[in-house]
Amino acid sequence: MLDRFKELGVKMIGTRCIGFDHIDIAHAKEIGMVVANITYDSDGVAEFTVMDILMGVRRMKEVMIKTMGNDFRLNCLLAEQLKDMNVGIIGAGKIGLAVMRDLTGFGCKLYYCNRRRKEEADRYAEFISMDELLRTCDVISMHMELNEKTYHILDAEAFAKMKKGVVFVNTARGGLVDTQALIDALDSGQVSCAALDVVENEFGLYYNDCRDKGLEGHYIDILRNMPNVIYTQHMAFYYRTAVRDMVFNCLRSMKLHSEGKEFPHRLA
């Protein structure tokens, strides 16, 4: 596609999202194609993540299933309190930092791991290694970018290190997680609940009307039918402020490039 764009005279590709794993950046550089991503107000994604954490801790998927079936018994729905839990944030970028900030109001103990220690993150959470975070946290939330080094960073070995009954949240990228390993951990009870806004192999399905498609056997179908999985279709970013910022910043970069000026978030 990049080669074809080049043939057609396209000078620049602007993607209206932060993630860029869907673009071959190395090849873009080889052929001289300019590529830029964007930034947007991340508070809404942080709010969505906190919502997912609370829903997981309070077992809301199971509650809703019972309620919709007119089963109003409290059997097997006893939940925990977030303020009594250790919460681990993997990745201390803008969204990870915003999640830490928002969680400080709940009284839980916060930890984070990142490629390097961050002064701003230290205001909210304690910096620890990935292994220590996996072993000590009752709730784990992913906020990393997807690349060759982070692909399946949470595999079967990582899930085995986690505390029994951990609540797992991923609003970042599906490829960070070995999905079969997560399913196995959910089946065994190693993970008590997962709240997932992203999943592997979602491209070509999300944002399309797939009501006439059979998804039997796909990770999406397996996960959304599990009683301990809260599942949404990669929409944590979908709120007015973020969408406005995406469009504006994408067009702004293109305008600046057309004027021969430097612009932020240039990838190639």
Short mmCIF file of all heavy atoms in Angstrom, two decimals, residues 155-194:
data_model
loop_
_atom_site.label_atom_id
_atom_site.label_comp_id
_atom_site.label_asym_id
_atom_site.label_seq_id
_atom_site.Cartn_x
_atom_site.Cartn_y
_atom_site.Cartn_z
N ASP A 155 2.67 -13.43 28.60
CA ASP A 155 2.45 -14.77 28.06
C ASP A 155 2.06 -15.71 29.20
O ASP A 155 1.76 -15.27 30.32
CB ASP A 155 3.70 -15.26 27.33
CG ASP A 155 4.95 -15.17 28.21
OD1 ASP A 155 4.81 -14.97 29.43
OD2 ASP A 155 6.06 -15.29 27.67
N ALA A 156 2.07 -17.01 28.94
CA ALA A 156 1.67 -17.98 29.96
C ALA A 156 2.56 -17.90 31.20
O ALA A 156 2.08 -18.00 32.34
CB ALA A 156 1.72 -19.40 29.37
N GLU A 157 3.85 -17.68 30.99
CA GLU A 157 4.78 -17.56 32.12
C GLU A 157 4.44 -16.34 32.98
O GLU A 157 4.49 -16.40 34.21
CB GLU A 157 6.21 -17.46 31.60
CG GLU A 157 7.26 -17.40 32.68
CD GLU A 157 8.67 -17.30 32.12
OE1 GLU A 157 8.85 -17.44 30.90
OE2 GLU A 157 9.61 -17.10 32.92
N ALA A 158 4.10 -15.24 32.33
CA ALA A 158 3.76 -14.01 33.06
C ALA A 158 2.48 -14.20 33.86
O ALA A 158 2.39 -13.79 35.04
CB ALA A 158 3.61 -12.85 32.09
N PHE A 159 1.46 -14.82 33.27
CA PHE A 159 0.21 -15.03 33.99
C PHE A 159 0.41 -15.97 35.18
O PHE A 159 -0.22 -15.82 36.22
CB PHE A 159 -0.87 -15.58 33.06
CG PHE A 159 -1.49 -14.52 32.18
CD1 PHE A 159 -1.26 -14.51 30.81
CD2 PHE A 159 -2.29 -13.53 32.73
CE1 PHE A 159 -1.82 -13.53 29.99
CE2 PHE A 159 -2.85 -12.54 31.93
CZ PHE A 159 -2.62 -12.54 30.55
N ALA A 160 1.33 -16.94 35.03
CA ALA A 160 1.60 -17.86 36.13
C ALA A 160 2.25 -17.15 37.32
O ALA A 160 2.10 -17.59 38.47
CB ALA A 160 2.51 -18.99 35.65
N LYS A 161 2.94 -16.04 37.06
CA LYS A 161 3.58 -15.28 38.13
C LYS A 161 2.59 -14.42 38.91
O LYS A 161 2.88 -14.00 40.03
CB LYS A 161 4.67 -14.37 37.54
CG LYS A 161 5.87 -15.09 36.99
CD LYS A 161 6.86 -14.09 36.39
CE LYS A 161 8.05 -14.80 35.78
NZ LYS A 161 8.98 -13.84 35.15
N MET A 162 1.44 -14.14 38.32
CA MET A 162 0.48 -13.24 38.95
C MET A 162 -0.16 -13.86 40.18
O MET A 162 -0.20 -15.08 40.34
CB MET A 162 -0.62 -12.85 37.95
CG MET A 162 -0.12 -12.04 36.78
SD MET A 162 -1.49 -11.62 35.64
CE MET A 162 -0.60 -10.85 34.30
N LYS A 163 -0.68 -12.99 41.05
CA LYS A 163 -1.41 -13.45 42.22
C LYS A 163 -2.67 -14.20 41.78
O LYS A 163 -3.34 -13.80 40.83
CB LYS A 163 -1.80 -12.27 43.11
CG LYS A 163 -0.64 -11.62 43.82
CD LYS A 163 -1.11 -10.46 44.70
CE LYS A 163 -1.87 -10.93 45.91
NZ LYS A 163 -2.17 -9.82 46.84
N LYS A 164 -2.99 -15.25 42.49
CA LYS A 164 -4.21 -16.00 42.19
C LYS A 164 -5.42 -15.08 42.35
O LYS A 164 -5.58 -14.40 43.37
CB LYS A 164 -4.33 -17.17 43.16
CG LYS A 164 -5.53 -18.06 42.94
CD LYS A 164 -5.29 -19.06 41.83
CE LYS A 164 -6.43 -20.08 41.76
NZ LYS A 164 -6.24 -21.04 40.66
N GLY A 165 -6.26 -15.03 41.31
CA GLY A 165 -7.47 -14.22 41.37
C GLY A 165 -7.29 -12.77 40.96
O GLY A 165 -8.15 -11.93 41.25
N VAL A 166 -6.21 -12.46 40.27
CA VAL A 166 -5.94 -11.09 39.84
C VAL A 166 -7.02 -10.59 38.88
O VAL A 166 -7.63 -11.38 38.13
CB VAL A 166 -4.55 -11.01 39.18
CG1 VAL A 166 -4.53 -11.79 37.86
CG2 VAL A 166 -4.12 -9.57 38.92
N VAL A 167 -7.29 -9.30 38.92
CA VAL A 167 -8.16 -8.64 37.94
C VAL A 167 -7.27 -8.01 36.89
O VAL A 167 -6.37 -7.22 37.22
CB VAL A 167 -9.05 -7.57 38.61
CG1 VAL A 167 -9.82 -6.78 37.55
CG2 VAL A 167 -10.02 -8.20 39.59
N PHE A 168 -7.49 -8.34 35.62
CA PHE A 168 -6.62 -7.88 34.54
C PHE A 168 -7.38 -6.96 33.59
O PHE A 168 -8.49 -7.29 33.16
CB PHE A 168 -6.06 -9.07 33.76
CG PHE A 168 -5.21 -8.67 32.58
CD1 PHE A 168 -3.97 -8.08 32.77
CD2 PHE A 168 -5.68 -8.85 31.29
CE1 PHE A 168 -3.20 -7.69 31.69
CE2 PHE A 168 -4.91 -8.47 30.20
CZ PHE A 168 -3.67 -7.88 30.40
N VAL A 169 -6.78 -5.80 33.27
CA VAL A 169 -7.42 -4.81 32.40
C VAL A 169 -6.47 -4.45 31.27
O VAL A 169 -5.28 -4.20 31.49
CB VAL A 169 -7.78 -3.54 33.20
CG1 VAL A 169 -8.38 -2.47 32.28
CG2 VAL A 169 -8.75 -3.87 34.33
N ASN A 170 -6.99 -4.42 30.05
CA ASN A 170 -6.18 -4.01 28.90
C ASN A 170 -6.98 -3.05 28.02
O ASN A 170 -7.92 -3.45 27.33
CB ASN A 170 -5.74 -5.22 28.08
CG ASN A 170 -4.75 -4.85 26.98
OD1 ASN A 170 -4.29 -3.71 26.89
ND2 ASN A 170 -4.41 -5.81 26.13
N THR A 171 -6.61 -1.77 28.05
CA THR A 171 -7.19 -0.77 27.15
C THR A 171 -6.12 -0.23 26.21
O THR A 171 -6.28 0.85 25.65
CB THR A 171 -7.82 0.39 27.96
OG1 THR A 171 -6.83 0.95 28.83
CG2 THR A 171 -9.00 -0.08 28.78
N ALA A 172 -5.03 -0.98 26.04
CA ALA A 172 -3.90 -0.50 25.23
C ALA A 172 -3.90 -1.15 23.85
O ALA A 172 -4.47 -0.62 22.90
CB ALA A 172 -2.58 -0.77 25.97
N ARG A 173 -3.27 -2.33 23.72
CA ARG A 173 -3.21 -3.06 22.46
C ARG A 173 -3.35 -4.55 22.71
O ARG A 173 -2.75 -5.10 23.63
CB ARG A 173 -1.86 -2.79 21.74
CG ARG A 173 -1.75 -1.42 21.08
CD ARG A 173 -2.70 -1.29 19.90
NE ARG A 173 -2.58 -0.01 19.20
CZ ARG A 173 -3.26 1.08 19.51
NH1 ARG A 173 -4.09 1.06 20.53
NH2 ARG A 173 -3.11 2.18 18.81
N GLY A 174 -4.13 -5.22 21.86
CA GLY A 174 -4.39 -6.64 22.04
C GLY A 174 -3.14 -7.49 21.94
O GLY A 174 -2.99 -8.49 22.64
N GLY A 175 -2.22 -7.12 21.04
CA GLY A 175 -1.02 -7.91 20.81
C GLY A 175 -0.05 -7.94 21.97
O GLY A 175 0.91 -8.72 21.97
N LEU A 176 -0.27 -7.12 22.98
CA LEU A 176 0.58 -7.17 24.18
C LEU A 176 0.38 -8.46 24.95
O LEU A 176 1.23 -8.86 25.74
CB LEU A 176 0.26 -5.99 25.10
CG LEU A 176 0.54 -4.58 24.55
CD1 LEU A 176 -0.06 -3.53 25.48
CD2 LEU A 176 2.04 -4.35 24.40
N VAL A 177 -0.75 -9.12 24.71
CA VAL A 177 -1.16 -10.27 25.50
C VAL A 177 -1.29 -11.51 24.62
O VAL A 177 -1.87 -11.46 23.53
CB VAL A 177 -2.52 -9.99 26.18
CG1 VAL A 177 -2.97 -11.18 27.01
CG2 VAL A 177 -2.44 -8.73 27.03
N ASP A 178 -0.73 -12.62 25.09
CA ASP A 178 -0.97 -13.92 24.48
C ASP A 178 -2.39 -14.32 24.87
O ASP A 178 -2.64 -14.73 26.00
CB ASP A 178 0.05 -14.93 24.99
CG ASP A 178 -0.12 -16.32 24.39
OD1 ASP A 178 -1.24 -16.65 23.95
OD2 ASP A 178 0.86 -17.08 24.36
N THR A 179 -3.32 -14.18 23.95
CA THR A 179 -4.73 -14.32 24.27
C THR A 179 -5.09 -15.72 24.75
O THR A 179 -5.89 -15.88 25.67
CB THR A 179 -5.60 -13.94 23.06
OG1 THR A 179 -5.19 -12.67 22.57
CG2 THR A 179 -7.07 -13.85 23.46
N GLN A 180 -4.50 -16.74 24.14
CA GLN A 180 -4.79 -18.10 24.60
C GLN A 180 -4.31 -18.31 26.02
O GLN A 180 -4.98 -18.97 26.83
CB GLN A 180 -4.14 -19.13 23.66
CG GLN A 180 -4.54 -20.57 23.97
CD GLN A 180 -6.05 -20.77 23.92
OE1 GLN A 180 -6.69 -20.48 22.91
NE2 GLN A 180 -6.63 -21.26 25.01
N ALA A 181 -3.16 -17.72 26.35
CA ALA A 181 -2.66 -17.83 27.73
C ALA A 181 -3.62 -17.13 28.70
O ALA A 181 -3.84 -17.61 29.82
CB ALA A 181 -1.27 -17.21 27.82
N LEU A 182 -4.18 -16.00 28.28
CA LEU A 182 -5.17 -15.30 29.12
C LEU A 182 -6.42 -16.13 29.30
O LEU A 182 -6.95 -16.25 30.42
CB LEU A 182 -5.52 -13.95 28.49
CG LEU A 182 -6.67 -13.18 29.15
CD1 LEU A 182 -6.37 -12.88 30.61
CD2 LEU A 182 -6.96 -11.88 28.39
N ILE A 183 -6.91 -16.75 28.23
CA ILE A 183 -8.10 -17.59 28.32
C ILE A 183 -7.86 -18.75 29.28
O ILE A 183 -8.71 -19.08 30.12
CB ILE A 183 -8.51 -18.11 26.92
CG1 ILE A 183 -9.02 -16.95 26.06
CG2 ILE A 183 -9.57 -19.20 27.02
CD1 ILE A 183 -9.24 -17.30 24.60
N ASP A 184 -6.69 -19.36 29.17
CA ASP A 184 -6.34 -20.46 30.08
C ASP A 184 -6.31 -19.99 31.53
O ASP A 184 -6.77 -20.69 32.44
CB ASP A 184 -4.99 -21.06 29.69
CG ASP A 184 -5.02 -21.76 28.34
OD1 ASP A 184 -6.12 -22.10 27.87
OD2 ASP A 184 -3.93 -21.96 27.75
N ALA A 185 -5.76 -18.78 31.74
CA ALA A 185 -5.67 -18.23 33.10
C ALA A 185 -7.06 -17.89 33.65
O ALA A 185 -7.32 -18.05 34.85
CB ALA A 185 -4.79 -16.98 33.11
N LEU A 186 -7.97 -17.46 32.78
CA LEU A 186 -9.35 -17.19 33.20
C LEU A 186 -10.07 -18.49 33.54
O LEU A 186 -10.82 -18.57 34.51
CB LEU A 186 -10.10 -16.46 32.08
CG LEU A 186 -9.75 -14.98 31.89
CD1 LEU A 186 -10.18 -14.50 30.51
CD2 LEU A 186 -10.43 -14.13 32.96
N ASP A 187 -9.84 -19.53 32.74
CA ASP A 187 -10.47 -20.83 32.98
C ASP A 187 -10.01 -21.44 34.29
O ASP A 187 -10.80 -22.08 35.01
CB ASP A 187 -10.17 -21.79 31.82
CG ASP A 187 -11.05 -21.55 30.61
OD1 ASP A 187 -12.17 -21.04 30.79
OD2 ASP A 187 -10.63 -21.88 29.49
N SER A 188 -8.73 -21.26 34.61
CA SER A 188 -8.17 -21.88 35.81
C SER A 188 -8.45 -21.08 37.08
O SER A 188 -8.26 -21.58 38.19
CB SER A 188 -6.66 -22.05 35.65
OG SER A 188 -6.00 -20.79 35.68
N GLY A 189 -8.88 -19.82 36.93
CA GLY A 189 -9.10 -18.96 38.08
C GLY A 189 -7.86 -18.17 38.48
O GLY A 189 -7.91 -17.39 39.44
N GLN A 190 -6.75 -18.37 37.76
CA GLN A 190 -5.56 -17.56 38.03
C GLN A 190 -5.89 -16.08 37.84
O GLN A 190 -5.48 -15.23 38.62
CB GLN A 190 -4.42 -17.98 37.09
CG GLN A 190 -3.12 -17.21 37.26
CD GLN A 190 -2.42 -17.54 38.57
OE1 GLN A 190 -2.83 -18.42 39.31
NE2 GLN A 190 -1.36 -16.81 38.87
N VAL A 191 -6.65 -15.78 36.80
CA VAL A 191 -7.23 -14.45 36.58
C VAL A 191 -8.71 -14.55 36.90
O VAL A 191 -9.43 -15.34 36.28
CB VAL A 191 -7.03 -13.96 35.14
CG1 VAL A 191 -7.72 -12.62 34.91
CG2 VAL A 191 -5.53 -13.84 34.81
N SER A 192 -9.17 -13.78 37.88
CA SER A 192 -10.59 -13.88 38.28
C SER A 192 -11.50 -13.15 37.31
O SER A 192 -12.65 -13.55 37.10
CB SER A 192 -10.77 -13.32 39.68
OG SER A 192 -10.51 -11.92 39.72
N CYS A 193 -10.99 -12.07 36.73
CA CYS A 193 -11.79 -11.27 35.80
C CYS A 193 -10.87 -10.51 34.86
O CYS A 193 -9.78 -10.07 35.27
CB CYS A 193 -12.67 -10.29 36.57
SG CYS A 193 -13.63 -9.18 35.49
N ALA A 194 -11.28 -10.36 33.61
CA ALA A 194 -10.54 -9.54 32.65
C ALA A 194 -11.50 -8.53 32.05
O ALA A 194 -12.65 -8.85 31.73
CB ALA A 194 -9.93 -10.40 31.55
#
